[in-house]
Amino acid sequence: MKKFLFAFCVIFSLGLAAVFGYFSVAHFTHNEQKTAILNYVILFAVSLPVATALHEAGHVIFGALVKIKAVPELNFINSSSCKIIPYTNKNLKGKIIFTASGGLVINALCVILGGLAFVLDGIPAEISAVIPASFYLLFLNALPFVYSDGKTDGLVIYGLCRESDSAKVMLAVLTVQAQVLKGKSISDVDENLLFGLPQIQEDDESFIALTELRYEYFKAKNDGRQAEFYKNRFEELKNTYL
């Protein structure tokens, strides 16, 4: 199903590019069409990295509004991502959902803008070239899937809404991180946030982050044996999955 939807998204996006490209240049005279086609092709070529940057910017902007720092890690060949740094542990569930939705909202707005450029006379029709790339990112990121580069925004939101085990671990990890960032010693955090959690897959980023926090916890507690165990476990997970 995942491969089918991915193929559908690619083919549909290319179809959009062809349709909007044709109608964007059709009204030009024969002499003007070459320039119009070139402009559209250039805009289409740069639209994917631009749409990718705007998607991650959406996470940054939405996160900043609710005291969540989203640090983008742009990759214009593979999938980009954002590292989440929480500066509050209040209502984290709602704030992470809001932050995760930021990229989807920005891509949706780009699709709308491209559509308006296509139908309104006052806006250059070539701007509709942003629609295919924006739709592509919107569609793929809205689906609740795990890709080779990690979870989609849709899966993060879906997991938080249904309170999946992975989401519970993620919220616990972010809560501990927020408390430590606010000055609390990790040795003083509630042990339930580190150990009273459901078991999840070891390749889950939240499990890997939890393992690192457990190492830091036992290190702060001067429990050398447990600290060494979780340090080695974290290094193993990091080298295997990250």
Side-chain angles (χ1 to χ4, degrees):
M1 176 62 74
K2 187 189 300 184
K3 291 182 178 179
F4 170 79
L5 289 173
F6 178 78
F8 167 79
C9 182
V10 171
I11 294 171
F12 190 80
S13 298
L14 291 175
L16 285 176
V19 170
F20 282 105
Y22 173 79
F23 285 105
S24 294
V25 303
H27 64 282
F28 287 99
T29 66
H30 179 73
N31 292 333
E32 295 173 330
Q33 280 185 349
K34 290 183 179 180
T35 301
I37 291 172
L38 178 61
N39 290 339
Y40 186 87
V41 169
I42 292 173
L43 285 172
F44 176 71
V46 302
S47 64
L48 184 56
V50 169
T52 298
L54 289 174
H55 179 94
E56 302 307 331
H59 294 311
V60 174
I61 295 169
F62 276 52
L65 294 174
V66 291
K67 295 183 180 180
I68 300 293
K69 184 177 181 180
V71 181
E73 298 177 359
L74 294 175
N75 188 324
F76 297 118
I77 298 176
N78 296 314
S79 299
S80 296
S81 61
C82 272
K83 180 181 179 182
I84 299 299
I85 303 175
Y87 286 107
T88 177
N89 61 340
K90 296 181 179 179
N91 191 27
L92 266 179
K93 176 181 175 180
K95 291 177 179 180
I96 296 302
I97 290 175
F98 186 75
T99 302
S101 68
L104 302 177
V105 171
I106 294 298
N107 286 144
L109 290 175
C110 287
V111 172
I112 294 172
L113 175 62
L116 291 175
F118 187 71
V119 299
L120 297 180
D121 293 335
I123 307 176
E126 290 85 352
I127 294 180
S128 63
V130 304
I131 292 179
S134 298
F135 170 83
Y136 171 80
L137 290 174
L138 175 62
F139 187 86
L140 287 187
N141 283 284
L143 293 172
F145 288 148
V146 178
Y147 296 124
S148 59
D149 299 302
K151 299 177 182 178
T152 62
D153 300 330
L155 183 58
V156 171
I157 295 170
Y158 177 72
L160 286 167
C161 289
R162 64 185 292 268
E163 297 184 346
S164 68
D165 288 346
S166 178
K168 290 177 182 178
V169 174
M170 179 180 67
L171 288 176
V173 167
L174 291 174
T175 298
V176 173
Q177 290 175 343
Q179 291 177 355
V180 171
L181 284 172
K182 292 172 70 175
K184 188 173 188 177
S185 172
I186 193 170
S187 62
D188 295 329
V189 302
D190 185 352
E191 286 193 359
N192 286 324
L193 292 172
L194 294 174
F195 302 100
L197 298 169
Q199 184 65 37
I200 61 175
Q201 293 182 198
E202 67 174 22
D203 61 348
D204 192 302
E205 290 183 359
S206 296
F207 181 80
I208 299 172
L210 176 64
T211 304
E212 183 180 20
L213 288 177
R214 287 172 173 173
Y215 157 63
E216 296 291 346
Y217 174 79
F218 284 115
K219 180 181 177 182
K221 287 281 191 179
N222 294 316
D223 188 335
R225 184 177 65 84
Q226 290 280 38
E228 185 68 18
F229 170 80
Y230 281 108
K231 178 183 179 182
N232 293 335
R233 183 71 173 122
F234 170 65
E235 292 294 335
E236 176 188 354
L237 293 169
K238 183 176 65 172
N239 293 333
T240 302
Y241 300 113
L242 298 182

